[in-house]
Amino acid sequence: METLVEHQISVAGTDIGFGCAEGDTLLRSALRAGLSLSYECNSGSCGSCRYELVEGEMRDRRPDAPGLSDRDRRKGRRLACQSEPLSACSVRIGVSAEPAIHRPVRQTAQLREVRPLTHDMSEFVFATPLPAAFSPGQYAMITLPDGSAERAYSMSNVGNCHGNWRFVVKRAPGGAATSVLFELEAGATVGLDGPYGNAHLRDDDRPIACVGGGSGIGAMISIVLGVAALPDAGDRTVHLFIGGRTVDDVVLPPALELAARRIGSLHIHPAVSEQDGADRETGHAFQGFVHQAVVADLGDAVADFTFYAAGPPAMTDALARSLVLERGVDADRLHFDRFC
Ligand SMILES: Cc1cc2nc3c(=O)[nH]c(=O)nc-3n(C[C@H](O)[C@H](O)[C@H](O)COP(=O)(O)OP(=O)(O)OC[C@H]3O[C@@H](n4cnc5c(N)ncnc54)[C@H](O)[C@@H]3O)c2cc1C
Ligand code: FES
């Protein structure tokens, strides 16, 4: 029988310790142990999981990760999402008291169906043996069948006991992962590790604005479906902003019709940045970037909302600037994990 090697990790200056299985990362093993660390992308790009190694040996999965600057590297900083312990280690890292709602689990997922949504986006449906335990707005890490790449994708459904995981994926030109994913056939198996992410639906009574750019629409559909499943859905107000370059990039999945029947007041605002969408048969679209549609359409009421966002970093950064810096929205009421 194979013996599972586990390295003991201690957090310097605290009495916190946890085990990390060989091949797992510092970040993921801490989350699996029920601890809460600062992170966003889980991919080495955002830099929010930086820490210092005090003692022990770590393998760096992505030595050139953009999440670390030259200055960070000179100062000996590392990324918890890219660090695989090779021995017992002591680390200096912030651990907060708020544990994750769902601990991430690694399993194998089978592709059931691929449903084309636009010219470059499809919804992928996977099934796992264990229930799909996650909160609306979270994401999972998908590993290609040959193990050559692992990427983050947000669930576009809600948690369920059937092990059903849906993802809206946009094909990236020449992309290492998406060029393989879009060629997979039903029955193919991938690695699925999750859930991850902090931009999940919160329990508050405010009206909700969901802002999705490009493939970020998947995470926002999950949030809308999550609101539709609340016992007081009939009293809720949700504004869903969907951004794309042209109306052909803006997708309204059928699941939204179901949500519209349960949510008291659901408003859908398409926004297109590259053509006069108002002239097209598909309905009236705001002409401009999706963050501009948010401030234009919500007006002075913008201060009353809780915001969820998903999409390219340029979109989420522009939204954060215009809401928090220009409109004075409390940063704690804007939730997103950068797609970087
Ligand atoms: C939190 C989060 C949620 C996301 N949700 C979605 C979604 O719902 N739908 C969707 O279409 N896309 C989503 N993405 C983007 C997705 O993860 C991929 O970046 C995208 O599909 C392009 O991948 P690619 O390999 O085809 O393209 P490529 O151009 O080959 O890869 C580029 C992306 O891969 C990352 N990358 C490169 N090397 C590595 C490495 N060694 N390890 C880890 N990452 C690496 C880069 O940071 C870059 O973002 C999400 C990203 C994040 C961070
Ligand atoms: S760089 Fe580690 S979570 Fe983004």
Side-chain angles (χ1 to χ4, degrees):
M1 205 173 87
E2 205 182 320
T3 325
L4 186 68
V5 179
E6 197 175 78
H7 301 297
Q8 205 51 39
I9 311 298
S10 55
V11 180
T14 74
D15 56 4
I16 297 171
F18 56 94
C20 178
E22 184 111 316
D24 206 0
T25 66
L26 180 61
L27 172 68
R28 297 186 202 188
S29 58
L31 298 173
R32 293 188 217 288
L35 298 168
S36 181
L37 306 186
S38 160
Y39 77 103
E40 274 183 53
C41 71
N42 215 341
S43 307
S45 300
C46 72
S48 50
C49 65
R50 277 172 296 189
Y51 77 100
E52 284 168 43
L53 178 63
V54 177
E55 209 180 323
E57 203 185 342
M58 289 280 183
R59 184 178 95 82
D60 196 344
R61 280 191 178 182
R62 200 179 169 191
D64 58 349
L68 285 179
S69 63
D70 290 344
R71 187 160 176 270
D72 286 328
R73 289 191 168 87
R74 276 199 304 278
K75 291 192 143 196
R77 291 187 185 130
R78 295 163 182 259
L79 296 172
C81 70
Q82 300 303 316
S83 293
E84 281 180 23
L86 298 176
S87 69
C89 291
S90 167
V91 296
R92 192 167 293 118
I93 192 165
V95 180
S96 94
E98 190 195 352
I101 306 167
H102 302 287
R103 296 189 190 192
V105 176
R106 286 189 277 198
Q107 45 187 330
T108 298
Q110 188 173 60
L111 182 62
R112 286 284 160 85
E113 195 189 345
V114 182
R115 293 180 48 239
L117 296 173
T118 67
H119 60 105
D120 63 356
M121 278 198 280
S122 291
E123 186 172 53
F124 288 70
V125 185
F126 288 96
T128 55
L130 295 175
F134 61 87
S135 299
Q138 290 197 288
Y139 66 90
M141 304 301 295
I142 300 285
T143 304
L144 297 180
D146 66 357
S148 60
E150 187 192 50
R151 296 288 185 265
Y153 293 104
S154 311
M155 279 69 85
S156 58
N157 59 338
V158 288
N160 59 87
C161 57
H162 311 294
N164 192 323
W165 305 71
R166 291 170 178 261
F167 306 90
V168 173
V169 181
K170 185 180 171 90
R171 190 192 278 268
T178 50
S179 53
V180 175
L181 275 176
F182 276 79
E183 296 306 317
L184 293 184
E185 295 193 353
T189 54
V190 299
L192 188 154
D193 183 7
Y196 293 100
N198 302 306
H200 53 80
L201 182 61
R202 300 312 204 257
D203 186 11
D204 77 31
D205 292 338
R206 292 178 178 275
I208 290 171
C210 298
V211 189
S215 60
I217 186 63
M220 296 301 99
I221 290 168
S222 177
I223 297 274
V224 173
L225 294 176
V227 177
L230 293 174
D232 64 347
D235 302 326
R236 297 299 189 120
T237 296
V238 179
H239 288 258
L240 171 63
F241 293 85
I242 308 173
R245 281 204 296 274
T246 72
V247 285
D248 296 333
D249 300 312
V250 173
V251 58
L252 296 175
L256 285 176
E257 282 173 30
L258 200 73
R261 271 186 248 137
R262 286 197 43 89
I263 296 174
S265 182
L266 174 64
H267 308 267
I268 297 178
H269 309 249
V272 296
S273 57
E274 281 184 9
Q275 72 181 55
D276 184 1
D279 288 346
R280 299 286 296 258
E281 283 173 10
T282 37
H284 296 287
F286 177 87
Q287 181 75 53
F289 291 109
V290 70
H291 69 279
Q292 296 169 324
V294 174
V295 290
D297 292 355
L298 297 184
D300 290 342
V302 85
D304 302 335
F305 280 75
T306 294
F307 292 87
Y308 299 92
M315 184 219 98
T316 43
D317 289 351
L319 182 71
R321 264 198 311 276
S322 80
L323 291 180
V324 179
L325 298 182
E326 292 161 22
R327 302 278 155 155
V329 171
D330 185 345
D332 287 347
R333 282 202 276 113
L334 171 57
H335 307 286
F336 64 88
D337 292 314
R338 274 172 283 176
F339 275 27
C340 49

